[in-house]
Amino acid sequence: MTLNSRAKLRGHADVEMNIQVPYGNDVFQLDATISGFNLPVINELFAKMGKFKVDSGILLGLRLTMDAQKYSSRNTLAFDYRELKLAMIPDDDSKKGLNTLINSAANLFTSKENIPNSNNYKTARYSTSRNVYRGPFNLIWESSKEGLIEIVPVGIARTFIGGRKNKEASSLVFFGILPALV
């Protein structure tokens, strides 16, 4: 079975998803793209994920390809952007002073741009474990998040957060949950 869909992300970007699902198998292939837009317009989505917002940044394009099997997927992610600046959201007012320090550190460890044909351009090629008790959209979300963690933090930050070796800690540190607990 083939599923081709097109949509608008919050009215700001074109999203296209092509999914191939062979009959009788617990596998699928996905090719998804998102067109360019100003990243701060989707802060409402990030706020629900927790602890950070995008102060500035322009998505030039995103492309995710997946070959999902029963227990894992092989993925490639290209996330092209420029002028990225993040801000952590404190849990309460008592952490606002600390939050300034956390924001500075977060942006120090964030690649400001990832533009094709530049010297430091990165794409992510990686595998993601699949939770067999969750649906395919959970795998797409987890795979996307893991790919972003491979691309956005600069080299030393990826070492600090552990890359794919410690996926839970990587997500917590990158999305600002651990710094907010300090």
Side-chain angles (χ1 to χ4, degrees):
M1 172 175 68
T2 301
L3 171 67
N4 298 307
S5 64
R6 292 182 183 185
K8 281 276 194 198
L9 178 64
R10 306 296 254 181
H12 297 284
D14 294 324
V15 177
E16 190 170 323
M17 225 182 235
N18 300 309
I19 304 173
Q20 300 284 328
V21 183
Y23 287 107
N25 293 317
D26 194 15
V27 301
F28 66 91
Q29 289 77 41
L30 169 103
D31 186 13
T33 58
I34 300 176
S35 68
F37 66 96
N38 288 323
L39 288 167
V41 300
I42 60 168
N43 272 332
E44 183 181 317
L45 295 174
F46 295 139
K48 291 176 184 174
M49 272 187 327
K51 314 297 184 198
F52 80 99
K53 68 178 185 170
V54 179
D55 274 346
S56 65
I58 299 167
L59 175 71
L60 304 173
L62 181 143
R63 181 171 184 182
L64 173 67
T65 60
M66 295 179 70
D67 181 15
Q69 302 299 313
K70 185 172 184 170
Y71 298 108
S72 65
S73 66
R74 288 187 310 272
N75 317 296
T76 302
L77 182 78
F79 179 54
D80 305 339
Y81 62 92
R82 66 174 195 247
E83 302 169 21
L84 182 63
K85 184 176 178 187
L86 302 175
M88 300 301 153
I89 302 169
D91 285 337
D92 58 50
D93 290 339
S94 69
K95 295 183 181 176
K96 283 191 176 179
L98 179 61
N99 203 52
T100 301
L101 178 63
I102 292 169
N103 285 340
S104 297
N107 284 297
L108 180 65
F109 294 123
T110 300
S111 298
K112 304 298 179 249
E113 64 181 27
N114 194 45
I115 300 172
N117 301 318
S118 67
N119 288 339
N120 296 322
Y121 183 67
K122 294 178 270 187
T123 59
R125 288 178 178 72
Y126 54 100
S127 295
T128 302
S129 295
R130 184 175 185 178
N131 181 342
V132 295
Y133 301 107
R134 302 292 302 266
F137 286 102
N138 176 260
L139 179 62
I140 294 167
W141 168 245
E142 292 297 327
S143 297
S144 299
K145 193 167 59 169
E146 201 170 315
L148 291 172
I149 290 170
E150 289 289 316
I151 293 170
V152 175
V154 294
I156 193 148
R158 260 193 314 283
T159 301
F160 173 70
I161 63 177
R164 289 185 304 261
K165 294 175 190 163
N166 188 347
K167 192 166 72 170
E168 186 66 25
S170 298
S171 297
L172 292 174
V173 171
F174 183 70
F175 291 116
I177 294 169
L178 279 183
L181 295 175
V182 174

